[in-house]
Amino acid sequence: MTTKVTLTVNGQERSAEVEPRTLLVELLRDQLGLTGTHVGCDTTQCGCCVIHVNDKAVKSCTMLAVQAQGSNILTIEGLAAPDGTLHPMQEAFREHHGLQCGFCTPGMVMMGVDIARRLPGADEKTVREQLEGNLCRCTGYQGIVEAILSVANPGAVKEHHHA
Amino acid sequence: MGQFGIGQPLRRKEDPRLLQGRGQYTDDMNVEGQFWGAFLRSPHAHADILSVDLEAARAAPGVKAVYTSADLDADGVPDMPCEVELADLAGAPMWKPMRPILARNRVRFVGECVALVVAQTQAQAREAAELIEINWSPRPSVADAQEALKPGAPLLWPELGQNVPVHWQNKPSTEADAAMAGAAWRVDVNIVNNRLVPAPMEPKAALASWDEQEGKLTLWAPTQGGRKIQANLAKRYLRIAQDKMRVISLDVGGGFGMRGQTYPEYVALVWAAKQIGGAVKWRADRTETFFSDYHGRDQVNEAQMGLDEYGRIVALKIHTLVNLGAYMAENGPRMPIEGGGRIIPCCYHVPHFYFSVKPVFTNTVSTDTYRGAGRPEANFLMERLMDAAAEATGLTRDEVRRRNFITEFPYKTPMGYVIDSGDFARGMDDAMRMAEWDTFEERRAEAYSRGYLRGIGVAAFIEAAGGRAPTEDMRVRAELDGSVTIFSGSHSHGQGHDTVFSQLVNEFLGVEPASVRLVQGDTDVTPRGSIGTFGSRSSMMGGAGIKMSCEKLVAKGVKVAAHLMQSEPDAVTFSQGVFRAGASEMSFTQVAQAAWDATRIPEGMTPGLDEGHNFQREAENFPNGCHVCEVEIDPETGIAEIVRYVAVDDCGAVLNPLIVHGQVYGGVAQGLGQAMIENALYDAEGQFVSATYMDYGMPRAHRMPFIEVGFNTVACRTNPLGVKGAGEAGACGAPPAFIGALVDALRDYGVTHMDMPATPEKIWRAIYGAQFDTQESDGIYAEVT
Ligand code: FES
Ligand code: FES
């Protein structure tokens, strides 16, 4: 038995037939072909799957596709401007070497955008605590924290040692 | 160095793609009409399989096939070998078991593959796997290496008669014993080096596809460069021509050493794809990934060091147990002996060295290479010994190290490896200065006045990089459109090869990085002699291969340029991307483009600038460094916050400081993870109880420090770029720096060592344990749950 869901994804209306158990991330990846959103766990711990649902960061592995009926979804693929200009958070991740293998990155960037929007002026400690639900195995978080700070609170970025 | 060349912190070329969700990881791949695979795994740590009933599974909706070891055996698919050869002092070779791809008659660890179901959807495959009925007869099991040595312990391999397949020693202990007897001081250290899950963020996945028309198999999987896996799959398991097997790993979500192996799942899936004549995709969940990826570390080390009256080491004896797991993985027993053995006894001169290693079988998943692969264990042991030596002799921690550092290079280690260069004392001085070691006691007193405990730790370490395989194959081609393509044998799974290799091409040919393209991770197009990336080898092996290829391009370019500029090759020079002859000049790009036109090159010359080089290394390189860690403990909670972390590294010539520092940050986080919270834990029944991110302590952003980094560069003398690896340094330095700081903070409580992970609970018990009697008081050594 399937249900039809209709939602707006990255500015476009999309619809699909989903099963009651289909996760939102499965709808995005497997049915809509948006493979930028990743799955790193099955216990809602890693945050590789973070997207925005109605302008809020959400772990898309923890929401059913049917729950997203009618909602406005933004994934990593829709973050840059239509002309390809990177979003300031994407640019900051590049500038501060906030990614290595790139697997946690889509979720980190979407979370970073959410943190900077909710908590302008956040200090380093706050940014680190806000990342509680996002795991990265490669970077030691240093470049990620610097990148998010540079958008949320540029004055708080520690002196840069890479020139 | 130019704007984009060697040494510049060029921002990464791969980032715009990865930042926009355009990565191409294995699970992003699909083949039209693909089936899905699911493995049935053992729920038992040790059990006999009395019977298997596949009927219900075969009849389940959507099921195409169900395979067990009987099917693989019927097709003659061989079992998996360990590649390590060792012998005891009498020359008796190590006993080695083989691992069946799918368990045959018996399972030996939780998560071992038993059957493979192929069905139309993933859900159908998983549901059918649950319908397989197995009549199990459980056997007693053992997961801990020390327990497995006890008389009466369950035997993994009864035919061996014990759980130790070899007792390896570097030599008899006689000389070390004699020197030890004459020592002024003797210090003992007993350490459990905790088992870790490598846990790259990308779960394990694979897609195997059979192309009937071409008679060819393709495997997409997260490898560290697929050439060896290709060879194994083709030649050993499928018995087809190597070129009829293609392995593709475009983007890989982290490797850390344990994604280079030919896992049994890959063998079963490619075999199944060929059987059904189609494609089979498999996506492991996190728990399955934790069960089946090889684990790291898991050693027990007992060591005794003797020092003379000046605090100089006279003898060192080390006894190591390494938990192999149930089988022997490709590199399993290699970890302490070759992995750590290349550097042991680390930064110090030891005149008499005795080293004994016993690998031990247990009912756990195999251990193999994980970031550092034996070197973090060796460095941790040596640094704990040096702190103990400081305590015993009354010398400061830096002084006792200084008196024992190796200072003359090249230096031949007791295990016969040659360290070409380094300046260990300068690295330590730099790190201590950056961390304001001199004024630490003031900070300790200030913290104490607030009710907090502060401690500081120092750890010098050495690493070995660029091993094991002594060759790497690279190819550089100047294209007709003016761009340059690198066909790379080494492989990036996060290290930024596209960026750094482009910088090298820029340095040697003058072509802008934006016009350089990296091709990697596809055995159909990467050079034939490619090996891959592990052991921090890409900068030296891949980098040198690019340098040599570029030199060949320039040599040929000189001939073309001479022809075009109507000059003699001898009169043509090349620098910064420009060929010059007298007053005429041509850019590299102009010459390269002309070189494809047969009418514009010397007669008899093959068109095009397209050269490869198989680089053969002379020696490995030896990165080293010194880390200082300062912690502040809240005695109420036992939480140790890292308030300062300094990492000074000698990674030889720096190709891109941004990327080197990134490697250091990531390595430090993994080292701190080991020291603070990570523990792959099997319970008494052999159940793996930390098999999710909820139960396994991954380092998270709020527990990780801001890391201050510095360089103490000494160019390597044995490779053309002067580079040393950077990937594993952090994981070597962080555990001893953190534990050293912790012990320093807890000195007043009589703490001289704390095994990893030093969780808040352990720390709290160390502080309050003395006030509670009985069980709680020895909680410092209790297992963390
Ligand atoms: S996939 Fe791990 S939290 Fe969603
Ligand atoms: S960049 Fe690899 S997991 Fe974060």
Side-chain angles (χ1 to χ4, degrees):
Chain A
M1 191 201 72
T2 59
T3 320
K4 183 175 172 182
V5 289
T6 303
L7 25 70
T8 308
V9 182
N10 301 331
Q12 279 183 316
E13 190 177 295
R14 306 284 296 264
S15 51
E17 289 290 329
V18 301
E19 290 180 43
R21 67 176 174 188
T22 303
L23 301 173
L24 179 53
V25 69
E26 293 171 334
L27 166 63
L28 293 171
R29 285 183 56 84
D30 299 341
Q31 290 180 253
L32 302 183
L34 293 167
T35 54
T37 302
H38 295 153
V39 177
C41 75
D42 26 72
T43 53
T44 315
Q45 294 283 311
C46 76
C48 292
C49 61
V50 170
I51 60 168
H52 293 180
V53 179
N54 299 329
D55 292 327
K56 284 206 182 71
V58 165
K59 287 180 170 171
S60 62
C61 72
T62 310
M63 190 168 162
L64 294 168
V66 289
Q67 292 174 296
Q69 166 64 32
S71 52
N72 188 11
I73 306 270
L74 181 67
T75 72
I76 192 72
E77 288 95 340
L79 194 61
D83 71 354
T85 308
L86 293 183
H87 182 279
M89 189 59 74
Q90 290 169 314
E91 203 48 76
F93 267 69
R94 183 170 194 224
E95 175 62 23
H96 295 276
H97 193 20
L99 62 152
Q100 289 184 25
C101 78
F103 198 81
C104 72
T105 309
M108 286 287 182
V109 170
M110 298 310 280
M111 192 63 203
V113 171
D114 186 70
I115 293 170
R117 186 160 52 203
R118 277 187 293 113
L119 302 164
D123 61 7
E124 182 186 330
K125 188 165 184 288
T126 307
V127 169
R128 286 181 180 274
E129 280 164 1
Q130 288 286 320
L131 289 175
E132 157 106 65
N134 289 73
L135 292 172
C136 173
R137 194 53 155 171
C138 299
T139 63
Y141 303 98
Q142 185 129 330
I144 294 170
V145 171
E146 278 184 13
I148 297 172
L149 269 181
S150 76
V151 175
N153 185 3
V157 180
K158 298 208 177 108
E159 194 193 331
H160 221 278
H161 17 258
H162 310 303
Chain B
M1 75 186 178
Q3 196 188 348
F4 305 122
I6 289 179
Q8 293 291 355
L10 192 68
R11 299 312 187 251
R12 297 203 323 169
K13 287 175 62 191
E14 40 276 87
D15 287 0
R17 188 171 63 77
L18 297 174
L19 281 164
Q20 294 180 82
R22 285 200 240 112
Q24 294 174 285
Y25 302 90
T26 297
D27 189 38
D28 302 339
M29 305 296 158
N30 293 290
V31 170
E32 186 71 27
Q34 71 197 11
F35 289 89
W36 283 83
F39 288 94
L40 173 72
R41 292 177 183 273
S42 169
H44 295 285
H46 204 183
D48 288 317
I49 299 172
L50 301 181
S51 64
V52 180
D53 183 351
L54 303 175
E55 223 155 283
R58 284 193 168 130
V63 170
K64 172 88 173 163
V66 183
Y67 299 115
T68 65
S69 63
D71 302 288
L72 294 166
D73 288 345
D75 196 38
V77 179
D79 292 352
M80 297 167 57
C82 168
E83 295 169 0
V84 184
E85 306 288 347
L86 292 172
D88 67 17
L89 281 183
M94 176 170 72
W95 186 87
K96 298 203 288 186
M98 299 279 265
R99 174 175 176 180
I101 305 297
L102 299 172
R104 185 188 300 115
N105 305 330
R106 183 174 297 177
V107 289
R108 294 179 178 83
F109 68 95
V110 169
E112 184 169 357
C113 295
V114 179
L116 169 62
V117 178
V118 178
Q120 260 151 21
T121 69
Q122 187 185 27
Q124 287 171 337
R126 286 184 170 182
E127 278 154 22
E130 280 173 24
L131 296 175
I132 296 175
E133 274 182 46
I134 297 187
N135 192 356
W136 303 100
S137 172
R139 302 172 70 92
S141 69
V142 62
D144 179 89
Q146 286 171 294
E147 291 296 320
L149 291 186
K150 290 185 179 159
L155 294 183
L156 272 285
W157 301 98
E159 55 271 54
L160 173 62
Q162 54 172 328
N163 286 322
V164 177
V166 70
H167 179 200
W168 179 92
Q169 299 164 88
N170 67 329
K171 55 162 93 163
S173 68
T174 349
E175 287 165 32
D177 287 334
M180 194 72 79
W185 282 291
R186 278 183 289 277
V187 291
D188 293 279
V189 163
N190 297 328
I191 285 173
V192 176
N193 199 296
N194 44 332
R195 178 183 274 248
L196 303 177
V197 181
M201 292 310 300
E202 181 189 10
K204 214 154 147 198
L207 170 58
S209 178
W210 168 252
D211 181 337
E212 182 67 42
Q213 220 156 23
E214 296 241 2
K216 184 166 176 169
L217 277 157
T218 301
L219 172 72
W220 286 264
T223 76
Q224 298 183 195
R227 186 67 72 192
K228 186 174 161 201
I229 294 175
Q230 173 202 31
N232 274 343
L233 290 174
K235 291 196 254 181
R236 178 176 175 85
Y237 297 106
L238 300 166
R239 285 146 296 146
I240 55 177
Q242 189 165 337
D243 285 349
K244 293 293 181 190
M245 179 78 234
R246 178 182 186 187
V247 177
I248 303 178
S249 315
L250 298 178
D251 287 308
V252 174
F256 315 120
M258 43 58 64
R259 286 273 162 96
Q261 292 78 351
T262 309
Y263 282 101
E265 290 90 351
Y266 299 162
V267 179
L269 288 163
V270 291
W271 178 84
K274 189 161 177 241
Q275 292 298 304
I276 64 163
V280 186
K281 184 167 177 176
W282 168 64
R283 180 197 281 166
D285 60 24
R286 178 52 57 183
T287 296
E288 207 178 356
T289 302
F290 270 37
F291 275 148
S292 66
D293 272 351
Y294 297 145
H295 292 176
R297 318 282 191 258
D298 206 344
Q299 292 188 5
V300 179
N301 299 296
E302 290 182 11
Q304 186 174 60
M305 187 162 82
L307 303 105
D308 68 14
E309 61 269 39
Y310 302 108
R312 286 181 308 225
I313 302 166
V314 294
L316 173 63
K317 292 174 65 184
I318 298 175
H319 294 270
T320 290
L321 301 180
V322 57
N323 189 336
L324 292 173
Y327 299 91
M328 260 185 208
E330 281 166 49
N331 305 297
R334 191 172 271 151
M335 292 310 110
I337 297 160
E338 192 188 316
R342 279 175 295 172
I343 47 138
I344 210 158
C346 304
C347 303
Y348 309 103
H349 175 65
V350 173
H352 296 287
F353 178 56
Y354 169 73
F355 188 20
S356 142
V357 177
K358 287 183 181 173
V360 187
F361 291 116
T362 65
N363 293 105
T364 61
V365 70
S366 301
T367 56
D368 198 287
T369 329
Y370 169 58
R371 204 162 193 165
R375 283 96 85 201
E377 296 94 313
N379 281 293
F380 185 70
L381 176 61
M382 286 310 296
E383 291 309 277
R384 296 308 303 135
L385 280 164
M386 294 315 285
D387 278 5
E391 192 74 31
T393 58
L395 295 170
T396 60
R397 284 175 284 169
D398 54 309
E399 184 57 25
V400 73
R401 286 174 168 82
R402 213 179 299 278
R403 289 189 189 184
N404 288 287
F405 276 148
I406 296 163
T407 51
E408 283 175 29
F409 301 95
Y411 177 87
K412 191 165 182 191
T413 73
M415 297 279 286
Y417 293 84
V418 179
I419 303 172
D420 65 287
S421 61
D423 188 342
F424 306 152
R426 189 174 72 187
M428 185 169 72
D429 289 342
D430 288 355
M432 290 172 69
R433 191 176 48 249
M434 281 170 68
E436 299 174 281
W437 183 282
D438 281 354
T439 53
F440 170 71
E441 289 305 329
E442 293 164 25
R443 299 196 291 284
R444 194 201 301 266
E446 188 277 329
Y448 195 76
S449 72
R450 286 183 283 113
Y452 288 79
L453 304 169
R454 270 214 185 199
I456 195 165
V458 60
F461 62 89
I462 185 163
E463 226 268 275
R468 303 194 54 241
T471 65
E472 186 55 278
D473 221 1
M474 304 291 286
R475 183 160 206 94
V476 178
R477 185 169 76 200
E479 309 288 0
L480 198 50
D481 65 1
S483 67
V484 167
T485 308
I486 303 166
F487 298 90
S488 174
S490 53
H491 181 272
S492 175
H493 22 285
Q495 299 93 332
H497 290 45
D498 193 359
T499 307
V500 177
F501 286 170
S502 298
Q503 287 178 266
L504 294 179
V505 167
N506 176 259
E507 182 81 23
F508 302 127
L509 302 179
V511 176
E512 293 213 351
S515 300
V516 180
R517 191 170 71 99
L518 178 75
V519 173
Q520 69 153 22
D522 179 348
T523 54
D524 264 10
V525 285
T526 49
R528 245 166 220 289
S530 69
I531 306 283
T533 287
F534 46 84
S536 297
R537 70 199 294 281
S538 295
S539 59
M540 170 164 102
M541 304 301 294
I546 288 178
K547 181 169 196 270
M548 303 307 202
S549 300
C550 288
E551 282 173 7
K552 290 183 189 174
L553 290 192
V554 170
K556 188 172 177 187
V558 162
K559 291 184 195 148
V560 176
H563 184 73
L564 293 169
M565 296 192 280
Q566 292 162 345
S567 171
E568 289 302 315
D570 286 353
V572 176
T573 62
F574 180 75
S575 78
Q576 301 192 319
V578 181
F579 292 95
R580 290 190 180 81
S584 348
E585 57 177 57
M586 289 181 81
S587 71
F588 174 82
T589 308
Q590 287 173 317
V591 172
Q593 287 175 311
W596 288 106
D597 183 345
T599 66
R600 299 183 66 198
I601 54 177
E603 221 178 278
M605 183 183 265
T606 315
L609 300 187
D610 178 10
E611 300 285 345
H613 188 85
N614 188 280
F615 177 70
Q616 314 251 342
R617 71 165 158 79
E618 189 184 315
E620 292 176 66
N621 63 66
F622 295 88
N624 57 84
C626 185
H627 292 191
V628 174
C629 179
E630 188 170 327
V631 300
E632 184 168 290
I633 299 171
D634 178 352
E636 294 305 309
T637 60
I639 290 175
E641 191 192 340
I642 299 170
V643 289
R644 190 110 193 222
Y645 199 99
V646 169
V648 172
D649 278 281
D650 169 11
C651 55
V654 175
L655 302 181
N656 179 329
L658 185 81
I659 282 175
V660 171
H661 289 155
Q663 288 296 310
V664 172
Y665 302 147
V668 167
Q670 289 185 0
L672 290 175
Q674 167 165 33
M676 298 170 80
I677 191 165
E678 291 185 41
N679 201 25
L681 191 67
Y682 285 84
D683 69 11
E685 275 74 55
Q687 289 297 326
F688 182 28
V689 294
S690 55
T692 72
Y693 280 144
M694 285 205 282
D695 306 297
Y696 185 78
M698 288 287 279
R700 287 170 199 260
H702 66 286
R703 297 287 317 269
M704 291 296 108
F706 176 83
I707 299 161
E708 296 163 64
V709 284
F711 285 127
N712 167 35
T713 302
V714 182
C716 182
R717 296 177 191 168
T718 55
N719 69 69
L721 292 172
V723 291
K724 302 176 184 177
E728 280 133 319
C732 291
F738 177 80
I739 295 294
L742 207 59
V743 169
D744 183 47
L746 298 174
R747 179 158 288 125
D748 289 351
Y749 296 89
V751 175
T752 54
H753 175 67
M754 191 175 284
D755 269 334
M756 303 184 289
T759 58
E761 182 195 345
K762 260 192 210 170
I763 296 169
W764 189 89
R765 286 182 187 279
I767 296 170
Y768 289 98
Q771 295 167 26
F772 295 79
D773 22 29
T774 66
Q775 275 132 340
E776 277 105 329
S777 63
D778 57 12
I780 169 175
Y781 297 113
E783 207 46 87
V784 184
T785 52

